[in-house]
C-alpha cells in the first residue's frame, strides 16, 4: 500500500505569458506541482518531476503512468478525491 498526493510548491510570479501555466487557481498562487508516493509511515518512495502549478493531480499521475506502475508492482494506493476516477482497486478516503 502506498499513499499518493500532489502538492504545490509556491514560487514568485515571473513576467511573461509563459508563467500563466504556473498559476494554480485552487491555491491562488504561482508555483510548481509535484506528485509524491510514500509508504504507510510517510517515507518517500518516489517524487515526480516539477510540472506547472496549474496541473491537476490526476493529470500528473496519468503522464507519469503511476497507475500502470502500481498495478505492475501489485501495490494498492490510498489517495484523496483528486484520484476518484481510478478503479476500485485503489481506495480513496
Amino acid at each position: 500500500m502506498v499513499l499518493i498526493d500532489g502538492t504545490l510548491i509556491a514560487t514568485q510570479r515571473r513576467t511573461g505569458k509563459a508563467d500563466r501555466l504556473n498559476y494554480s487557481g485552487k491555491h491562488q498562487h504561482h508555483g510548481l506541482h509535484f506528485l509524491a508516493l510514500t509508504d504507510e509511515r510517510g517515507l518517500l518512495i518516489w517524487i515526480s518531476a516539477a510540472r506547472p502549478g496549474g496541473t491537476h493531480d490526476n493529470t500528473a499521475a496519468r503522464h507519469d503512468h503511476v497507475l500502470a506502475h502500481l498495478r505492475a508492482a501489485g501495490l494498492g494506493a490510498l489517495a484523496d478525491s483528486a484520484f476518484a476516477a481510478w478503479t476500485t482497486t485503489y481506495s480513496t478516503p
Side-chain angles (χ1 to χ4, degrees):
M1 178 67 66
V2 297
L3 307 173
I4 184 170
D5 200 9
T7 190
L8 182 78
I9 304 299
T11 61
Q12 290 187 348
R13 182 180 185 272
R14 297 178 303 178
T15 59
K17 291 182 181 180
D19 189 50
R20 290 184 183 172
L21 293 175
N22 289 337
Y23 185 75
S24 170
K26 176 182 175 184
H27 298 284
Q28 303 292 308
H29 203 280
H30 287 79
L32 296 173
H33 179 270
F34 292 89
L35 195 63
L37 282 132
T38 66
D39 66 8
E40 304 90 26
R41 295 172 293 167
L43 296 175
L44 185 64
I45 296 171
W46 175 82
I47 192 162
S48 70
R51 296 195 184 280
T55 305
H56 191 275
D57 290 350
N58 207 8
T59 302
R62 219 176 32 248
H63 285 184
D64 289 328
H65 308 285
V66 171
L67 185 58
H69 291 296
L70 290 174
R71 283 185 177 153
L75 292 171
L78 185 62
D80 60 14
S81 61
F83 299 96
W86 285 16
T87 65
T88 56
T89 306
Y90 299 87
S91 48
T92 56

